[in-house]
Amino acid sequence: MPNFPTYYGPPLPKALNPLNPAHYWLVLKWVFFQPSRFKHYLYQIDPKLYRTAGLRPLLKTLRLPAYRNLYLIALIASFLTAVGVVYATSAMQATPVRWSGLLLVVAFGVALGVALGVVGGVWVGVAGGVAVGVVGGVTVGVAGGVALGVALGVLLVIVASGVLLGSVAFGMAFGVAFGMTFGVAFGMAFGMAGGVTSGVARGTAVSVAYGVVLGVAFGMAFGIAFGVAFGVAFGVAFGVAWVIGASRLIFYPFELLWIGLLRLIAHRPSSRLKYHPALWDELAIWPLPGCGAWVRQQLNSNFEAALRTTVVVAANPFQCWIAQRALSDWLAVQSDPLATLHLLMYSTPLDEYLLPPIAHVEFRDFPSARVVLLGEIAQQQMSGRNIDPSNDTERRVWRLTRSLRRMQPTPLSQFSAMLYFFLLTEFAFKSALSAEHPLQIRLKEILPQGYEGVRVYPHGNEVADSWSSLINFVEVASFEQVGMAHKQLNWITHLEQPYLAPEIIDTLEALGDVSRSVAVCLQATSLPNKTIALNQAAGGLQELSSYVEKELWPPERAVYLFIIKNWQSLIAAEQGRLGESALRQMSPSERLATGLVDRTSDVWQRPAKPLANPYIAGDPVMPPLFVGRRDIFTKIAEIWRAKAIPDSIILYGHRRMGKSSILRNLDQAAPGRVIACVNLQGETSFVASTADLLLALADRIFAEVKRARPNAVLTQPPTDQFTTPASAQIQFNRFMEQVRAALNDTGLILALDEFEAIEEAVRDGKVGKEIYQFLRAKTQEPWITVVFGGLHTLDEMSRDYAQPFYGSYQNIVVSYLAPEDAYHLITNPTPDFTVNYEPAAVERIIAATGGQPYLVQLVCRDALDHLNHELFDEHKEREVKLTVADVEAVLGDDLFRRGTGYFDGVWTQVSEPAQRALLHCMAQRDTPWTLAELTTQTHLTADVLRHHLELAQRRDILRQRDDVWEFCVPLMRKWIIWRARP
């Protein structure tokens, strides 16, 4: 689905202010000229409420100041408008108004009109084609209702005030006021509630039709009641005025005059465009000259701004021809039109809706700006912009303005038509899996017509050959054809660089690599070689699918994903055939050893003894049990390679996140170097002075170096010479020189785990604060690399630049395992682990733990213990596989008791009472919270609430996704509830 449109206009108020006169003009301007800004205002108030349907959410708006102020301003603005219309009507007839009691009548009429308009806004949405059989959203009621309410309020006032009843001239004046006001507002209300573009055309057409019908009806009614002359006068005046109002002809002379003034006073095209009626009157119907030429000039000088301008103009179907002519003429004069079209079509702003949608069906069905503009360049009728295929109002508008467009076919327009077809059929391609899908038959008919003509342009051969290869890849229908597909890519070697679309070329070459792997499989006779080649092809397609999703844009993305899925199905079928063949060649004992026996009995075999449990929960993990964290080791290696004397590193995160395991595996970032890992929490437990601490460090370094270099000449630090801080410093330095010589300058990595223990020892007076300067001096020695591990508080202390110790350190957060790393840890904790998981069980563990490594290990360990318990203690006859039931059985109170070290450690970092109260509040339900919901529930101000949320986010307790907040670890939410139980 496209993204919600970005707002580029003047800043919108967060809430309208009834005491600000400018906001009354702002609302009237939105209602009568700029309905999209009205929708942007409602969307910024509460995006979730914006899309919610029904009367109940409509009542919720009364609790929001931004909505209440809107209703009040609409009432007052309608009141003033109504009085103005009454006064103007009396002035036209030179007859005084009965002002006595008029204020009460006006107030009642306006209030009733706006109320009926807002409540009837849902009907406006349905009648305007917003949704068929679906209740319109709150925005339909508010946007369309306020617009229609203005008209209803004015009309009720005019009728109720009894202006000059009995006068023959009243038929003309009243008809003009009635018809003009209601005609403008009624057509505009359809545009307000009608979403992107169809509401404008449909609203205008319906309004004009209603003007004729109601004009005759009112004429007959008033003719019977007051006489033929009065009825005819009223009916004619009403009908003509309605048509003029609904077609917005009343504004057209002023807009033409304004365009003429722009030509005189604004010399720069950007200034002219900024104030052109095509941009500020989104409901304009009549042709507005000058805009197209100024857009073309702006495209040459400021492409991004011109693109936004083009989108705004194209949003109005009556003015879309301006965008079509401007883009077509501009592309025609470019030296490299394909590159220009590529730049135009793949611009990020075009991946948004043309104008803000309202109802759910609009969010689902409305096209992006890319689809609309590409269709215009392709000279296609824009029926694709209408969510209701049975309504062809907009198609008629396109035909009405067809003569104003550039409609001469060119190779570029034909190529654009081909791309437009793919954009409209993207969903069909995503769902198509069969090689004989009807889309393929149609591709053979339309593709060559679209791409062969562009060979006359620069990059034309690249584009044409790319699409030629694509159609051949789409036609692949067998495994053997996959193995031959790479032979169709020889043209790539003859292309001139740089490429127009390097990501497309990369994708084609990747498909060629997959094809070559399949060709190896076809040629191999050895079953292992076939399997390796086939697995390489399958893995390549899986990785390529992620690349295409990320790097390619529509429409190519959908076609290439279709090809990948089709090839995957062919390769998977071949893998199945190879697997069956391998099983048939295995002896019964070999099949039993693999666990792939055919199960024909109700009594399944169990292992001879309980399954070994390889999961480690709590203790640091050493190879080969350590998995993942490749991103952290890569970053550490980059830091160490950046400088001759690299910065030291601080690894921080909350407890049981895997920091100690990373410190013990740092040789993955610096192979060959000796790691001396020191747990400072243990080493500082009994020290009484700085000298004791230096002796403890020296002893640990001695032990690690001797373990790594058994033959190294190294003397153990003498205890009796570490008596005072001064003597200890001297002896420590001498000892480190021995270490340097023993390592032969290969370097030492000094990993200081639980470094906050040093902070605590200094604070308690056990160790002097000069220890910081001493350790910092060691980090300046090129053969020593220091890495610190600690809690989030260590990161926060390192931000205190008043402490010079932290001046040359880089912080790396140790957070949750990526899903693929968590999956590997669960399913392959050791190389010889043979127990299988249900896929759903793996997903359940990852979802419950959020990828927290300690909890992953703890849940897996308990689940495997549960499996052993059922097999060997309860002697259940069951499959030897870890299932969802095994996982659910251990996600209870016992898990919280066993994992108290982790949960209490995280909770300890939440020291502020207000933040703990916030977490207690959020734990009461398992669905995410919006900021508005939390503000209501906690009674905190938005700034204070955001401060606590962001602090919890930095500490990896909460995370924000799509404007909602949730726990990173769902088990942490359950633990908070469990902890609060009496």
Side-chain angles (χ1 to χ4, degrees):
M1 291 195 327
N3 300 319
F4 196 83
T6 304
Y7 177 73
Y8 292 105
L12 296 172
K14 292 184 178 180
L16 294 167
N17 185 359
L19 301 179
N20 188 340
H23 286 182
Y24 292 89
W25 161 244
L26 198 62
V27 169
L28 290 175
K29 185 172 66 172
W30 291 347
V31 167
F32 286 98
F33 296 101
Q34 296 171 339
S36 67
R37 295 189 181 181
F38 202 147
K39 297 170 190 174
H40 274 292
Y41 170 75
L42 297 178
Y43 185 82
Q44 80 168 8
I45 297 173
D46 188 336
K48 184 177 180 180
L49 183 61
Y50 179 91
R51 300 179 60 169
T52 307
L55 293 178
R56 194 171 186 180
L58 195 62
L59 297 176
K60 182 180 177 181
T61 63
L62 299 175
R63 299 196 297 268
L64 299 177
Y67 276 93
R68 291 201 306 269
N69 292 353
L70 170 64
Y71 299 149
L72 181 58
I73 289 178
L75 282 170
I76 298 174
S78 301
F79 178 92
L80 297 175
T81 305
V83 172
V85 171
V86 172
Y87 183 81
T89 304
S90 66
M92 290 171 59
Q93 303 174 113
T95 310
V97 180
R98 303 176 185 175
W99 292 107
S100 58
L102 182 60
L103 292 179
L104 181 60
V105 171
V106 169
F108 173 77
V110 167
L112 182 59
V114 174
L116 290 175
V118 173
V119 175
V122 174
W123 173 83
V124 173
V126 176
V130 175
V132 178
V134 179
V135 178
V138 167
T139 311
V140 177
V142 175
V146 167
L148 190 59
V150 171
L152 291 175
V154 172
L155 295 177
L156 288 173
V157 167
I158 295 174
V159 174
S161 60
V163 180
L164 307 176
L165 287 175
S167 170
V168 175
F170 173 70
M172 289 288 294
F174 182 62
V176 170
F178 198 143
M180 191 77 71
T181 304
F182 203 28
V184 172
F186 192 78
M188 172 272 307
F190 270 90
M192 287 288 292
V196 175
T197 54
S198 58
V200 179
R202 193 176 304 131
T204 300
V206 172
S207 295
V208 172
Y210 274 133
V212 176
V213 174
L214 293 182
V216 174
F218 278 130
M220 293 176 62
F222 278 87
I224 294 173
F226 299 104
V228 176
F230 179 86
V232 171
F234 176 85
V236 171
F238 178 86
V240 172
W242 182 299
V243 172
I244 293 175
S247 66
R248 300 180 68 85
L249 186 61
I250 186 175
F251 303 116
Y252 191 54
F254 302 101
E255 291 174 343
L256 291 178
L257 178 62
W258 181 248
I259 293 173
L261 291 175
L262 286 178
R263 294 180 185 274
L264 296 176
I265 63 177
H267 301 290
R268 292 187 301 174
S270 60
S271 299
R272 294 174 177 177
L273 274 175
K274 183 177 180 181
Y275 300 105
H276 195 280
L279 271 72
W280 54 256
D281 187 358
E282 299 174 4
L283 305 175
I285 294 174
W286 302 94
L288 297 172
C291 185
W294 296 342
V295 168
R296 290 196 302 274
Q297 295 177 33
Q298 192 182 42
L299 282 167
N300 292 321
S301 59
N302 190 336
F303 177 78
E304 291 295 331
L307 193 60
R308 293 196 296 269
T309 300
T310 306
V311 169
V312 173
V313 174
N316 186 339
F318 288 98
Q319 307 302 327
C320 197
W321 64 271
I322 297 176
Q324 195 267 355
R325 288 188 61 156
L327 291 175
S328 299
D329 293 347
W330 180 66
L331 287 171
V333 298
Q334 299 301 306
S335 59
D336 192 349
L338 287 176
T340 306
L341 181 64
H342 187 273
L343 175 66
L344 180 69
M345 286 299 101
Y346 301 107
S347 297
T348 302
L350 296 188
D351 202 31
E352 300 176 347
Y353 293 105
L354 202 63
L355 273 181
I358 299 177
H360 287 284
V361 68
E362 296 177 359
F363 280 92
R364 184 193 68 196
D365 292 342
F366 272 16
S368 65
R370 176 178 294 106
V371 173
V372 176
L373 292 185
L374 187 60
E376 288 291 349
I377 296 172
Q379 303 171 7
Q380 300 292 309
Q381 289 188 358
M382 297 307 298
S383 59
R385 301 195 311 182
N386 195 337
I387 63 172
D388 181 10
S390 64
N391 192 311
D392 60 352
T393 303
E394 196 165 340
R395 186 190 299 271
R396 293 174 182 173
V397 173
W398 191 92
R399 292 176 179 174
L400 185 66
T401 58
R402 187 180 190 280
S403 61
L404 300 174
R405 288 173 160 82
R406 299 287 189 227
M407 298 301 294
Q408 297 78 17
T410 65
L412 200 62
S413 68
Q414 292 175 340
F415 178 63
S416 300
M418 183 189 74
L419 297 180
Y420 177 64
F421 163 77
F422 280 115
L423 281 175
L424 294 182
T425 56
E426 182 177 11
F427 176 78
F429 263 100
K430 286 183 177 180
S431 61
L433 294 177
S434 171
E436 295 300 326
H437 192 273
L439 283 173
Q440 293 173 298
I441 299 175
R442 187 168 181 190
L443 287 182
K444 299 175 184 178
E445 300 173 356
I446 68 169
L447 271 178
Q449 302 174 10
Y451 64 72
E452 282 297 337
V454 301
R455 292 187 184 274
V456 299
Y457 299 127
H459 299 291
N461 289 330
E462 174 190 336
V463 171
D465 289 333
S466 297
W467 283 97
S468 178
S469 297
L470 181 144
I471 191 172
N472 289 327
F473 288 174
V474 168
E475 292 176 340
V476 167
S478 68
F479 182 72
E480 290 73 17
Q481 289 179 349
V482 176
M484 299 174 60
H486 66 278
K487 297 179 180 180
Q488 302 168 20
L489 297 177
N490 295 331
W491 55 270
I492 293 180
T493 59
H494 306 295
L495 282 182
E496 296 183 2
Q497 297 190 23
Y499 301 137
L500 171 64
E503 62 280 355
I504 294 295
I505 302 300
D506 288 342
T507 303
L508 288 171
E509 289 182 321
L511 288 171
D513 293 338
V514 171
S515 173
R516 280 184 278 272
S517 295
V518 172
V520 170
C521 176
L522 289 169
Q523 296 168 5
T525 57
S526 165
L527 183 60
N529 291 343
K530 280 181 171 289
T531 303
I532 291 173
L534 204 55
N535 289 342
Q536 184 183 38
L541 286 176
Q542 186 64 34
E543 187 173 352
L544 181 59
S545 178
S546 300
Y547 174 84
V548 170
E549 284 279 9
K550 181 180 178 182
E551 300 295 336
L552 266 59
W553 287 77
E556 289 94 338
R557 179 171 61 200
V559 187
Y560 279 104
L561 286 175
F562 170 81
I563 294 172
I564 291 170
K565 291 178 181 179
N566 184 34
W567 287 20
Q568 282 177 326
S569 65
L570 296 173
I571 290 174
E574 184 66 19
Q575 286 177 315
R577 286 191 291 270
L578 276 183
E580 289 295 329
S581 175
L583 283 175
R584 286 193 297 269
Q585 298 175 22
M586 296 173 66
S587 66
S589 60
E590 289 174 329
R591 298 175 70 180
L592 180 62
T594 62
L596 298 175
V597 296
D598 295 329
R599 296 187 180 275
T600 58
S601 172
D602 293 333
V603 179
W604 292 349
Q605 284 188 324
R606 63 170 57 85
K609 59 182 180 180
L611 301 165
N613 200 324
Y615 298 102
I616 301 173
D619 296 326
V621 181
M622 299 298 294
L625 305 182
F626 185 80
V627 299
R629 303 302 192 185
R630 180 57 49 198
D631 55 336
I632 292 180
F633 288 121
T634 300
K635 188 171 183 179
I636 292 174
E638 291 173 354
I639 293 173
W640 284 347
R641 289 195 301 265
K643 299 179 182 179
I645 303 178
D647 292 339
S648 295
I649 293 171
I650 292 176
L651 294 176
Y652 70 94
H654 55 62
R655 296 190 186 279
R656 308 296 174 92
M657 193 64 86
K659 301 183 295 297
S660 298
S661 298
I662 294 173
L663 292 176
R664 283 159 176 76
N665 289 271
L666 284 173
D667 56 341
Q668 295 191 28
R673 302 183 71 179
V674 175
I675 304 171
C677 191
V678 183
N679 187 328
L680 291 174
Q681 191 172 50
E683 298 297 340
T684 59
S685 298
F686 300 100
V687 300
S689 66
T690 304
D692 291 344
L693 178 60
L694 293 179
L695 177 60
L697 289 176
D699 276 337
R700 294 307 305 157
I701 294 172
F702 171 82
E704 295 294 339
V705 173
K706 289 296 287 183
R707 185 179 293 111
R709 303 284 193 274
N711 299 325
V713 178
L714 196 61
T715 304
Q716 187 164 2
T719 304
D720 58 348
Q721 295 183 19
F722 284 73
T723 54
T724 66
S727 63
Q729 178 185 6
I730 295 172
Q731 292 303 320
F732 187 90
N733 289 336
R734 290 174 179 175
F735 169 74
M736 292 302 289
E737 286 301 318
Q738 292 184 47
V739 172
R740 180 176 184 178
L743 296 179
N744 196 21
D745 291 332
T746 57
L748 174 72
I749 298 175
L750 181 58
L752 301 179
D753 199 9
E754 307 287 352
F755 187 72
E756 61 272 5
I758 290 284
E759 306 272 356
E760 296 172 4
V762 172
R763 186 169 58 248
D764 295 339
K766 294 181 179 180
V767 177
K769 63 181 180 181
E770 62 271 12
I771 189 66
Y772 296 124
Q773 293 292 357
F774 177 78
L775 289 176
R776 183 176 184 183
K778 292 303 170 189
T779 65
Q780 303 303 310
E781 297 185 28
W783 70 281
I784 301 177
T785 304
V786 184
V787 183
F788 301 90
L791 300 175
H792 282 270
T793 52
L794 187 59
D795 168 60
E796 294 165 2
M797 285 184 279
S798 71
R799 298 171 186 269
D800 181 10
Y801 293 105
Q803 171 55 266
F805 174 66
Y806 294 105
S808 57
Y809 292 79
Q810 295 204 32
N811 292 344
I812 299 177
V813 62
V814 180
S815 188
Y816 304 101
L817 290 173
E820 58 270 21
D821 291 337
Y823 180 89
H824 182 76
L825 174 59
I826 295 168
T827 58
N828 293 279
T830 60
D832 57 351
F833 186 73
T834 58
V835 182
N836 292 324
Y837 277 80
E838 275 186 351
V842 178
E843 295 173 2
R844 181 69 180 101
I845 294 172
I846 296 175
T849 63
Q852 209 288 331
Y854 166 78
L855 293 179
V856 169
Q857 297 259 21
L858 182 62
V859 173
C860 290
R861 186 191 69 186
D862 291 353
L864 187 52
D865 287 343
H866 181 266
L867 173 61
N868 278 328
H869 174 70
E870 289 198 341
L871 287 172
F872 295 96
D873 295 336
E874 298 182 356
H875 300 284
K876 285 188 176 181
E877 302 296 341
R878 54 162 295 174
E879 188 176 12
V880 185
K881 176 185 287 188
L882 285 162
T883 65
V884 174
D886 295 316
V887 175
E888 294 294 348
V890 302
L891 294 178
D893 294 351
D894 287 341
L895 180 74
F896 297 138
R897 296 186 186 97
R898 290 190 294 274
T900 186
Y902 165 77
F903 295 110
D904 281 335
V906 175
W907 192 250
T908 301
Q909 294 184 64
V910 186
S911 57
E912 301 87 347
Q915 192 172 35
R916 288 193 172 187
L918 171 63
L919 295 178
H920 270 296
C921 171
M922 295 182 65
Q924 301 311 307
R925 75 182 197 195
D926 59 359
T927 55
W929 294 78
T930 66
L931 195 62
E933 289 173 335
L934 287 173
T935 303
T936 303
Q937 195 72 18
T938 62
H939 306 292
L940 297 174
T941 64
D943 291 339
V944 173
L945 178 60
R946 188 169 291 278
H947 164 74
H948 288 300
L949 289 172
E950 291 174 352
L951 183 59
Q953 185 179 37
R954 287 201 303 272
R955 292 173 176 170
D956 279 336
I957 300 173
L958 299 178
R959 64 186 171 194
Q960 184 179 17
R961 284 186 179 180
D962 299 328
D963 296 326
V964 296
W965 291 85
E966 60 185 0
F967 282 87
C968 297
V969 178
L971 282 175
M972 186 71 199
R973 183 192 70 81
K974 292 186 176 181
W975 178 85
I976 293 174
I977 298 175
W978 174 80
R979 179 180 178 274
R981 290 176 185 170

